[in-house]
Amino acid sequence: MTPVTTVAIITTAFVPLRQPTEFWTTLSASVLVFLAGSVLATISYLAYRRERDRSFQFAALGFGLVTAGNLVIVVYQVGVKGSFLLGGLELLRIQTLSGVLVVVGLLSLLYSLYRY
């Protein structure tokens, strides 16, 4: 079985294919943010282990929180709700949680730059 076939099987098992284009665009963007954020967090953590400078540790935390904040909505839609349709109050709560994670992550990045 090729890796592409495996990904297709896993994707169709968790997400029905009859979703609107906007859902797939959001999902694709979130996957790219997850990959970039994970790479940045890993590089920051490895820099912390090499240099033992806590500013790199705060940078890794910040990148991780920003990445998590971006993924909250998609994880909720796909994993918890199982639908791309979210109600008004439900959407507001998810966006608030996402926003708080992003703000705390950015503050952590700001603090890491200030310390460095």
Side-chain angles (χ1 to χ4, degrees):
M1 209 183 309
T2 66
V4 174
T5 307
T6 306
V7 170
I9 291 170
I10 292 171
T11 304
T12 55
F14 292 110
V15 180
L17 291 177
R18 294 183 185 190
Q19 301 288 349
T21 306
E22 294 82 6
F23 174 80
W24 291 108
T25 304
T26 303
L27 185 64
S28 300
S30 293
V31 167
L32 291 175
V33 168
F34 173 74
L35 292 174
S38 297
V39 167
L40 288 168
T42 302
I43 289 170
S44 297
Y45 179 72
L46 292 174
Y48 163 71
R49 286 191 50 182
R50 185 182 63 239
E51 301 294 327
R52 291 293 179 203
D53 186 353
R54 288 192 49 104
S55 64
F56 291 121
Q57 192 175 28
F58 284 109
L61 176 67
F63 286 124
L65 287 172
V66 169
T67 302
N70 189 324
L71 293 179
V72 166
I73 294 174
V74 173
V75 168
Y76 182 77
Q77 285 177 326
V78 173
V80 176
K81 180 85 175 192
S83 170
F84 66 93
L85 298 173
L86 299 178
L89 186 57
E90 185 178 36
L91 182 60
L92 182 63
R93 287 178 179 158
I94 295 299
Q95 286 177 335
T96 301
L97 176 61
S98 175
V100 166
L101 287 172
V102 169
V103 166
V104 172
L106 290 174
L107 288 173
S108 179
L109 285 167
L110 179 67
Y111 183 69
S112 74
L113 289 172
Y114 176 76
R115 282 183 55 106
Y116 191 72

